[in-house]
Amino acid sequence: MKPKVFVEMASRVKNLPPYLFASIDKMKQEARAKGVDVIDMSIGDPDIPTPAHIVEAMKQAVEKPEHHRYPSYEGMLSFREGVAGWYRRRFGVTLDPKSEVLSLIGSKEGIGHLPLAFVEPGDTVLVPSPGYPVYPVSVLFAGGESYIMPLREENGFLPDFSSIPQSTLLKTRLMFLNYPNNPTSAVAPRKFYEEVINLADKYNIIVCHDAAYSEIYFGDEKPLSFMEVNGAKDVGIEFHSLSKTYNMTGWRIGFAVGNADVIAGLGKIKTNLDSGVFQAIQEASVVALNTDEKLLSGIRSTYRERRDVLYEGLRDIGIELEKPEASFYLWAKVPQGFDSAGFVIHLLEKTGVLATPGNGFGAPGEGYVRFALTVTAERTKEAVERIRKSL
Ligand SMILES: *Cc1c(COP(=O)(O)O)cnc(C)c1O
């Protein structure tokens, strides 16, 4: 008889909810197999390629033998200086590249690992919902307990801190926030961040602000960094990524900045689990962080045009939604008679348009669907036409 182990998953894996995008991917494959021309607006992965000057910098960097060895754990100093320079130019924030900047293998990696540094079993972590699924999962892996902060339309999709019981706040170690927000596309005002800093200070809560979409905006008012609000560095850190800003999702590079003790804690976990980011990628990323503003504003215009097509198209059909000022998502109410999953299935079966069900980002997202602006304006128009005919 061949020996065979009985493979049983650990409870932290058994307790995982199904990964949202895996089941959507399956639906997409099935539709395509049936010959449906799928317009995929379900995943926030830019269809626009990485700008050529960044790819060129990578080609040169990859040839250098010094980059073929293990990188430093915290990131090359030149990369961390590049990040500090970017924060100074963009937000007027001063960072010490040595102690207040850390490279990440994509911000997802940093978010996923952060609770391991600070959360004891049984500790509470405040998690926004609907939200990026990695926040509650990272809490689960660290043995902590998520306290869900529902993001409701009547509050501008900001959490209502006054509804959180004092007993919960007293047990809270960490709070995740994300503005411009995925999936609701809401932007947070300075006043909100000031409230966050007061709360964090009062209850000794580490704030982790995820700013992945700070550079995808459409109006004259640029989204704020949490770090530019007085006192932020005393209570927390900000996660950032080159993925969405420079269309570099496949490259896997991001960074965390802010409170030196929090950065050091995350760094300690990472030193024991990974060995940093390929230096050639870091070198190309320094070039990316210095990208000409004109090029970035061109990318924003592309998203703005798509946003206008989709927003106006859906509104004219009678779908309720707000016009996003940032991020590349539209967060739309499902029409009467549908729930989130039902509407996504209706769209796929009747129109070939694939959206993401709002409840996949957490129960408070029920009643909504998310459309990503990651297909051309032409295809977006086509999507609107098909939806119009299906309703
Ligand atoms: C895309 C995304 C990220 C992850 O970006 P990577 O740097 O590619 O890992 C983080 N947070 C949110 C909210 C995102 O939508």
Side-chain angles (χ1 to χ4, degrees), residues 106-108 111 132 135 178 182 210 212-213 241 243-244 252:
S107 56
K108 181 179 186 179
I111 293 165
Y132 190 51
Y135 311 137
N178 163 225
N182 173 12
D210 178 354
Y213 295 94
S241 171
S243 288
K244 315 290 163 59
R252 309 316 302 136

